[in-house]
């Protein structure tokens, strides 16, 4: 197994991955952008920001879905975490402002990565969760 993946060795993205009657799901990926192997274990710190970098709402809380395991990333491979929020239609309609960007702290790192937030991401019902990283998208 390689050493822990550091923020400067990773690229981040968040893409819609589906929805069900009550929730919207997104795939948070951290991709190894180096020519060496590294490993991740645990949860990302995840926040949403506006175009000026000001935080929108509260950071995501950790979900109980899935177990924490080592994820070894060879060059170009990605680790995946499930991000979930209720659909507006099943909440009291109280939704946060739409975010322009995501701010992600990889496990065991104190420096963040940022990327564009998907246009379909809007947190409603004050519920915003992130699961542990896995080797495959769920």
């Amino acid at each position: 197994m390689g050493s822990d993946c550091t923020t400067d060795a990773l690229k981040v993205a968040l893409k819609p991955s589906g929805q069900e009657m009550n929730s919207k799901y997104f795939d948070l990926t951290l991709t190894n952008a180096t020519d060496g192997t590294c490993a991740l274990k645990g949860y990302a710190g995840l926040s949403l920001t506006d175009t000026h970098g000001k935080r929108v709402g509260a950071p995501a809380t950790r979900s109980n879905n899935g177990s924490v395991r080592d994820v070894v990333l060879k060059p170009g491979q990605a680790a995946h975490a499930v991000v979930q929020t209720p659909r507006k239609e099943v909440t009291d309609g109280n939704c946060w402002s739409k975010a322009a960007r995501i701010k992600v702290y990889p496990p065991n790192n104190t420096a963040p990565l940022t990327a564009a937030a998907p246009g379909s991401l809007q947190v409603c019902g004050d519920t915003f969760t992130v699961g542990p990283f896995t080797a495959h998208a769920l």
Side-chain angles (χ1 to χ4, degrees):
M1 182 169 75
S3 61
D4 281 350
C5 297
T6 58
T7 299
D8 60 349
L10 298 167
K11 291 188 301 187
V12 66
L14 183 67
K15 297 179 180 157
S17 61
Q19 61 183 9
E20 60 182 20
M21 186 175 8
N22 296 326
S23 297
K24 288 183 178 182
Y25 297 93
F26 299 84
D27 181 24
L28 176 65
T29 58
L30 290 177
T31 303
N32 181 356
T34 70
D35 57 4
T37 299
C38 66
L40 292 172
K41 183 177 184 178
Y43 295 82
L46 173 61
S47 295
L48 306 176
T49 65
D50 64 16
T51 55
H52 304 290
K54 182 179 176 197
R55 193 172 78 202
V56 174
T61 58
R62 293 178 177 185
S63 76
N64 294 326
N65 299 334
S67 56
V68 175
R69 296 190 172 111
D70 286 319
V71 180
V72 177
L73 300 178
K74 293 179 180 175
Q77 287 185 323
H80 303 266
V82 175
V83 174
Q84 180 180 1
T85 187
R87 292 179 47 178
K88 183 177 184 176
E89 298 81 13
V90 298
T91 67
D92 59 7
N94 179 24
C95 298
W96 301 349
S97 300
K98 284 203 171 187
R101 302 197 56 80
I102 60 170
K103 183 185 251 186
V104 178
Y105 292 86
N108 302 317
N109 282 266
T110 56
L113 294 163
T114 61
S120 60
L121 176 60
Q122 185 174 27
V123 174
C124 295
D126 288 329
T127 303
F128 180 45
T129 63
V130 62
F133 280 104
T134 63
H136 305 285
L138 301 176

